[in-house]
Each structure stands twice: as structure tokens, then as C-alpha cells.
Amino acid sequence: MSLARAYTNIAFVKYWGKRDVVQMLPYNSSLSLTLDQFYTETSVEFTDQETDQFVFEGQDQPVSAKISRVLNDVRQIAGSNQHALVKSSNHVPTAAGLASSASAFAALAVAASDAAGLTLSRKALSILARHGSGSASRSIYGGFVLWHAGVDDQSSFAEPIDVNEQVNFPIAVIAILVNQHQKSILSGAGMQASVTTSPYYQDWVKTAEADIQTMSAAIAAQDIEQIGTIAERNALRMHATTLSADPPFTYFAPETLRIWELVRKIRTKGLSCYLTLDAGPNPKLICQLQDVSKIIDFLNAEIPNLTYTLCQPGPGAQLMAQ
Ligand code: PMV
């Protein structure tokens, strides 16, 4: 039995759309920060049982096509025909609103390959995780991570920006929970709707590729203001492809727009604070670590009982001792 832990990541330049749905190849490269507050732990054991089995938070669940895909890949590489018992649990601090398939499939890739006796390179693990969920390719690594869009299966993988997977400047991400109940369109369906129906989709791809260049330079310069400026603009452009889809849809909740308005107010006070948002209504604020308490005080004065989790850069996926 092999046990692995992987942390979730938040994209500062988003992945939003597949050029090849079968191979899971994205239209554009994306860039993320792995966070330290939310992780998935997954154990995998290959046995003589008749089918694959998936137990989530202690409950038997159907084995999804995405899980099967990763397990089949592992069996193929290992030349094995054994079935797997997969047990997984999520570790979320008080309602972080950070649930993500990124940590889940990165942990599955690491645990399943080890359980099959494979010693895969991290590049191979990133490709394997990508087959489960695109953003999972980035959670193999810690710190800032770049997922190269690539042109085929073997050239579409993630790499850490810093070889030591460290971030040596005080960046923080405040994950705010505004709404846990809203049902959102799953990211896979949402991005396909943008790809196939938004007239702005190709402009999104162009600007996202340009953002990779400017974001990489801003990270190298440790310029949090520039990082945040690019990330906020990139997130809103991604969301513009949902508003411009046919039929239009959005992940914004009223509270999301309220937080965005407050973020712009916070900036007028001279603080660096920027919003990013994925396929759900819960905003994440990018800021300097030393400004967190001032930002929280400001938000709390406007929104009583604000629920949030303070995140800092987190580590890559790893095998755990059992
Ligand atoms: O990996 P998926 O299929 O859950 O898609 C992730 C999409 C976003 O979270 C919205 C953006 C990203 O790059 O993580």
C-alpha cells in the first residue's frame, strides 16, 4: 500500500479550455501557486479483487472515468492487470471553499504509481496527473508552477519555476468562503461551453499566453503588485468567456462582486490586494503577508462573520510514511 499527499493550487494564469479533450491538452499554458492549507491524502493498493474500488471519506463511491483513466495508465506502464483499492480523504480547514480536483489527482498519480512498483520521474507524474484533471499536473510541485500547454501528450507537463520549489518573498492568498451551497457548472463543462460558444475564446488564449510571459517576469522580480495585477486581469478575462458564451453563464455570486468591489477600495488605501476566482463563487485574494490583518479588518468591517483561510506557498506532492 502506498500513501501520498498533494496540496491544491490556485492558478494565477488560468487553464480554461481543452484543445484535445481525449488527451487532455489545454489551449494555453497556465501558471499557479501551490497552497499550504488544503490537501488530499490518498492510499492505493493493487490486489486480486475483481474491480477497482474507490472509498472517499470512508464511503464507497463509484469509480469515475477520470480515476479509471489514471489507474489504467499506471497498469499499462507497469504491465499489470491487478485492480486497485483507492482510499481518499480531503483535509480542508474550516470551510475553506478550496475543494479541487487538483490535489486529488496529483495524490492519486503519486500513490498509484508507487503502489504499482513504478519509480516515475516528476515529469511523468505530472503527465499522469493531467490525465485525471488538468490542474492536477501542477500540484505535483510546490511553489510557483508552470504547466506548458505542449503540442502532444508528452510535451504537456508542469514544471516548478524555482528548482527548489520555494517562494522567497512574502506572498499570501486569503481564500474567502462566500457561498458553499451554490451549485456551479463543473469546470470541464464550463470550459467546453466557453471554447465552443464564446466569440472571445481565441482572444482569451492569446492574452493568456502573453500573461505567462509577464507573470513569469513579475515572479522573477518578486513584484507582488504586478503579480496580483496580472492575475486579477487574467481571472476576469477567463470569466468574460463565460459571460460571452451562448447561453451565457457565470460563476459569480452577488457576494463575489461585493468582495471585488471591496478589493478595489482596499487598493485605494495603498494596499496591494487582488482578486482571483475559479469555477465557483469563492474569491481568493492575493496580497503581501504583512498586509493580511489590515485587509481582514477592512473586510470584516463591511462583512461581519467573514469566513476565510490564510494560505501561503505550499509543497509538492509527496509519498507519506504509513
Ligand atoms: O483541472 P480542472 O478540470 O478542474 O480545471 C481547472 C480550471 C480552473 O480551476 C478554473 C483554472 C485552473 O487553471 O486551475
Side-chain angles (χ1 to χ4, degrees):
M1 197 261 274
S2 301
L3 177 68
R5 177 188 292 188
Y7 290 78
T8 196
N9 68 74
I10 176 82
F12 284 16
V13 177
K14 310 283 185 197
Y15 148 56
W16 193 248
K18 295 177 189 67
R19 180 156 61 79
D20 184 326
V21 184
V22 177
Q23 299 260 42
M24 299 283 286
L25 300 177
Y27 268 103
N28 60 275
S29 298
S30 55
L31 200 156
S32 60
L33 179 65
T34 301
L35 303 177
D36 65 346
Q37 286 296 311
F38 170 62
Y39 60 88
T40 301
E41 273 190 1
T42 298
S43 70
V44 178
E45 192 178 357
F46 284 96
T47 70
D48 292 330
Q49 61 192 77
E50 304 233 308
T51 56
D52 291 326
Q53 189 187 350
F54 178 49
V55 181
F56 182 67
E57 312 283 6
Q59 307 267 359
D60 257 308
Q61 298 287 343
V63 180
S64 69
K66 291 174 172 192
I67 295 175
S68 296
R69 169 94 193 258
V70 173
L71 293 174
N72 288 339
D73 283 355
V74 167
R75 277 189 280 263
Q76 197 193 349
I77 304 169
S80 152
N81 53 15
Q82 282 193 308
H83 287 105
L85 170 61
V86 179
K87 290 184 185 166
S88 194
S89 58
N90 279 344
H91 295 256
V92 201
T94 351
L98 261 175
S100 158
S101 54
S103 53
F105 284 98
L108 179 64
V110 171
S113 54
D114 187 72
L118 299 169
T119 311
L120 297 183
S121 67
R122 303 243 273 162
K123 175 179 165 184
L125 286 172
S126 176
I127 292 170
L128 182 59
R130 192 195 86 229
H131 290 168
S133 170
S135 55
S137 65
R138 301 184 306 239
S139 272
I140 295 296
Y141 303 98
F144 284 106
V145 180
L146 170 63
W147 171 17
H148 303 280
V151 291
D152 56 20
D153 186 48
Q154 290 303 305
S155 58
S156 187
F157 59 89
E159 270 181 329
I161 301 250
D162 174 84
V163 282
N164 299 315
E165 300 174 42
Q166 298 289 324
V167 177
N168 298 315
F169 54 99
I171 192 164
V173 173
I174 305 170
I176 300 177
L177 183 82
V178 296
N179 188 330
Q180 353 185 16
H181 307 299
Q182 180 157 319
K183 259 216 168 142
S184 61
I185 300 173
L186 291 176
S187 57
M191 61 178 80
Q192 268 326 95
S194 291
V195 169
T196 52
T197 69
S198 170
Y200 306 150
Y201 187 76
Q202 287 308 325
D203 286 332
W204 151 257
V205 174
K206 252 186 257 156
T207 55
E209 281 298 352
D211 287 345
I212 292 284
Q213 304 310 320
T214 48
M215 182 65 82
S216 302
I219 292 168
Q222 308 193 347
D223 185 340
I224 295 178
E225 201 171 317
Q226 189 62 8
I227 292 170
T229 301
I230 301 164
E232 182 173 300
R233 196 181 59 201
N234 178 273
L236 293 168
R237 284 178 177 170
M238 176 201 120
H239 287 275
T241 72
T242 76
L243 294 170
S244 54
D246 186 12
F249 64 103
T250 187
Y251 293 103
F252 294 129
E255 299 91 331
T256 316
L257 291 173
R258 174 82 176 120
I259 299 279
W260 184 30
E261 183 188 23
L262 294 174
V263 162
R264 284 177 282 150
K265 263 201 193 143
I266 289 169
R267 287 208 287 265
T268 67
K269 302 192 175 311
L271 297 174
S272 295
C273 182
Y274 302 89
L275 172 124
T276 185
L277 186 75
D278 286 330
N282 295 314
K284 283 94 194 169
L285 308 189
I286 300 164
C287 65
Q288 315 243 13
L289 188 57
Q290 64 266 28
D291 292 341
V292 167
S293 58
K294 279 190 207 146
I295 291 170
I296 295 298
D297 285 350
F298 182 87
L299 292 173
N300 260 328
E302 303 283 335
I303 305 176
N305 307 318
L306 184 81
T307 308
Y308 70 92
T309 304
L310 173 60
C311 306
Q312 291 185 66
Q318 55 211 279
L319 281 167
M320 310 293 288
Q322 298 143 47

